[in-house]
Amino acid sequence: MSIVVLENYINGEFVASAATETLDLINPVDESVVGRTPVSTKEDVDAAVEAAQRAFETWGKTTPSVRQAALLKLADAIEAHSDEIVAAESANTGQAHQMIADEEVKVGADQMRFFAGAARLLEGKAAGEYMEGFTSYVRREPIGVVGQVTPWNYPFMMALWKIGPALAAGNTIVLKPSDTTPGSTLVLAKLSKGILPDGVFNVVLGNGGTGATLVENPALGLVSITGSVRAGIAVAVSAAQQLKRAHLELGGKAPAIVFGDVDIEKTATGIAEAAFFNGGQDCTAATRVIVHESIHDQLVEALVRNAEKLRPGAPSDPDAFYGPLNNINHFNAVSDKIANLPASAKIVTGGKRSGETGFFFEPTVITGVAQSDDIVQEETFGPILTVQSFSDEKEAITLANDVRFGLASSIWTKDHGVTQRVSAALDFGAVWINCHIPLVAEMPHGGFKYSGYGKDLSAYGVEDYTRLKHVMSSHD
């Protein structure tokens, strides 16, 4: 079978990269080579940025209704070509076709329609005479050309989370997808032809070096990344050197705090699904169960029962709950974290590779961990769930907050007063109550501390892609 070398999408056309270096695209289900992607050069990046600059001269002046119409057409095209998007993404991620169709394509099209509406609802302070003899008003303007870097865990939906608000606000884009999962983003680029003016949306392929080259381009007004803490810090440092804005959605280490009054079976089911969905490759995944000591053992038993039902498998396996880890480097990193557990830790289920081919890893539940252990403090981004106990509400909050991440969390209890006190005390950008992981387009998504800054989704996400200008007029 011939191996297709993918191309960049610049100024409305697919074009060969100037690069001589390429990367193999590996299907994580069977470890076969399914394509090659160029490691795009500075020449490629500059061409894409220049195309975006030219396009901004007109796109940045369009009315909100024009941008809304384009985004609505793009949402329709996404739905109409769901099968093509799903096939391209599954070849890169190994996830089940139905999961991609439901959780990324269908949901993503709905989110794009939200951003289309948000294009017409940008807000600012009311015009008025805040000083006698002068009228002031606020203009909310697009920033210009924005650079975006997307991850491999939900490559299509994460692209939409960045593209939608940027376009709604009137910006133009150069996006670099993950080097392991570019396929669905290129399908999106193809679908945008004829809907978005040429140059408004550009895609350059490559590795971390390509991403760094993009971030360093002085023509960008904002850089946005969804990725690791290490990558986010590098982007923030680079952006700061040119005083450009950064938008960072980074890692997570989400606690699920379980009080003693819960329905144990129902709670265990909800937490296990939130922990192992997409193989735990989700920055909001439940990763740390913090349970009241009175029900610790019963909850662990229930979690184990659920984990043993939620097994991994290939897209062709109708009973599989999730697919493989994305790539060999990540698989090895997750395996190493298990291999280096402290002596006190006990793996009560899972903890090893599933099968002999592909990057599948068993759902894993670990007890006996201490708050200072790496497995508690550092992101695993795999199907790994630790369990700790607490004696009172204060201790639960302390354990939950005592990590460097601040993205997502959940509280499980029947006591309304507890939910109100604890949700206010938790240092996380999202707090779910008696659920964990649902997201809606109307609500902001983004964290605190080492989980980054800026918001995805919601009107706040669109506002992040704008700049504010005060205009004052003298009555004389």
Side-chain angles (χ1 to χ4, degrees), residues 118-452:
R120 302 181 75 160
L121 287 174
L122 292 173
E123 296 181 350
K125 194 173 183 67
E129 289 66 54
Y130 298 97
M131 179 181 289
E132 185 175 350
F134 298 86
T135 296
S136 290
Y137 63 93
V138 168
R139 291 178 55 88
R140 189 177 287 278
E141 300 176 341
I143 294 168
V145 180
V146 299
Q148 302 177 328
V149 180
T150 52
W152 45 253
N153 58 332
Y154 298 104
F156 188 73
M157 188 164 66
M158 294 296 96
L160 297 183
W161 282 17
K162 295 194 181 301
I163 294 164
L167 295 179
N171 301 283
T172 56
I173 297 166
V174 179
L175 185 147
K176 191 203 84 68
S178 167
D179 57 343
T180 65
T181 58
S184 58
T185 303
L186 293 177
V187 175
L188 178 64
K190 183 178 73 172
L191 297 179
S192 73
K193 178 69 174 178
I195 296 175
L196 300 175
D198 293 348
V200 168
F201 175 49
N202 307 273
V203 180
V204 290
L205 306 175
N207 57 14
T210 306
T213 300
L214 173 61
V215 171
E216 292 165 2
N217 190 291
L220 302 183
L222 178 145
V223 290
S224 174
I225 180 174
T226 298
S228 67
V229 170
R230 177 189 54 78
I233 291 174
V235 167
V237 170
S238 178
Q241 291 172 346
Q242 297 176 351
L243 294 179
K244 65 180 66 167
R245 289 162 61 179
H247 185 283
L248 310 176
E249 202 279 284
L250 309 177
K253 196 66 181 174
I257 305 175
V258 182
F259 287 85
D261 62 344
V262 299
D263 179 319
I264 291 176
E265 291 298 329
K266 186 175 181 180
T267 299
T269 297
I271 292 174
E273 291 178 352
F276 304 131
F277 183 76
N278 199 27
Q281 297 170 121
D282 189 317
C283 50
T284 63
T287 61
R288 298 183 291 140
V289 175
I290 301 171
V291 57
H292 191 267
E293 58 191 9
S294 64
I295 60 167
H296 173 276
D297 293 349
Q298 299 98 304
L299 185 66
V300 169
E301 291 172 2
L303 288 170
V304 169
R305 287 194 295 274
N306 277 274
E308 291 174 350
K309 291 187 294 186
L310 302 177
R311 61 177 181 79
S316 58
D317 183 349
D319 296 323
F321 184 67
Y322 61 90
L325 300 184
N326 180 257
N327 57 78
I328 186 61
N329 292 333
H330 182 53
F331 176 84
N332 288 339
V334 172
S335 300
D336 287 347
K337 287 169 183 172
I338 296 298
N340 291 304
L341 287 173
S344 62
K346 179 183 178 182
I347 299 173
V348 290
T349 189
K352 61 183 184 300
R353 183 175 194 159
S354 177
E356 298 180 356
T357 303
F359 310 134
F360 299 96
F361 203 93
E362 294 178 343
T364 302
V365 179
I366 304 170
T367 61
V369 294
Q371 184 68 16
S372 59
D373 292 342
D374 284 349
I375 198 69
V376 172
Q377 290 291 323
E378 299 302 324
E379 188 174 42
T380 56
F381 220 60
I384 313 296
L385 188 61
T386 62
V387 184
Q388 300 166 266
S389 64
F390 70 89
S391 58
D392 58 34
E393 186 177 307
K394 181 179 179 181
E395 183 183 13
I397 293 168
T398 299
L399 292 173
N401 285 340
D402 184 27
V403 292
R404 63 176 180 161
F405 300 98
L407 184 58
S409 59
S410 61
I411 305 164
W412 302 76
T413 181
K414 297 175 183 177
D415 189 321
H416 178 73
V418 168
T419 67
Q420 298 307 292
R421 292 192 302 272
V422 177
S423 62
L426 288 175
D427 198 10
F428 297 87
V431 181
W432 286 290
I433 297 172
N434 295 324
C435 59
H436 193 117
I437 229 167
L439 294 168
V440 291
E442 294 82 358
M443 290 291 117
H445 174 72
F448 310 143
K449 301 188 292 188
Y450 274 69
S451 290

Side-chain angles (χ1 to χ4, degrees), residues 114-115 117-119 121-123 140 165 169 440-445 455-466:
F114 169 81
F115 290 127
L121 287 174
L122 292 173
E123 296 181 350
R140 189 177 287 278
V440 291
E442 294 82 358
M443 290 291 117
H445 174 72
K455 296 297 181 183
D456 289 323
L457 301 175
S458 79
Y460 302 105
V462 179
E463 289 177 358
D464 279 353
Y465 284 91
T466 67

Side-chain angles (χ1 to χ4, degrees), residues 11-94:
N11 201 34
E13 302 292 339
F14 285 98
V15 294
S17 169
T20 57
E21 182 183 357
T22 62
L23 300 170
D24 286 344
L25 294 175
I26 307 297
N27 186 317
V29 172
D30 59 15
E31 304 180 49
S32 63
V33 178
V34 295
R36 290 199 177 94
T37 180
V39 179
S40 293
T41 64
K42 184 176 185 299
E43 179 183 343
D44 298 316
V45 171
D46 288 349
V49 172
E50 289 166 7
Q53 285 181 290
R54 292 191 298 270
F56 180 70
E57 294 176 6
T58 52
W59 179 255
K61 297 174 184 176
T62 55
T63 62
S65 63
V66 168
R67 300 195 295 273
Q68 179 192 43
L71 295 184
L72 290 174
K73 288 179 182 178
L74 189 57
D76 290 342
I78 288 168
E79 284 188 335
H81 293 82
S82 176
D83 289 348
E84 184 179 0
I85 296 165
V86 167
E89 180 150 314
S90 186
N92 290 171
T93 66

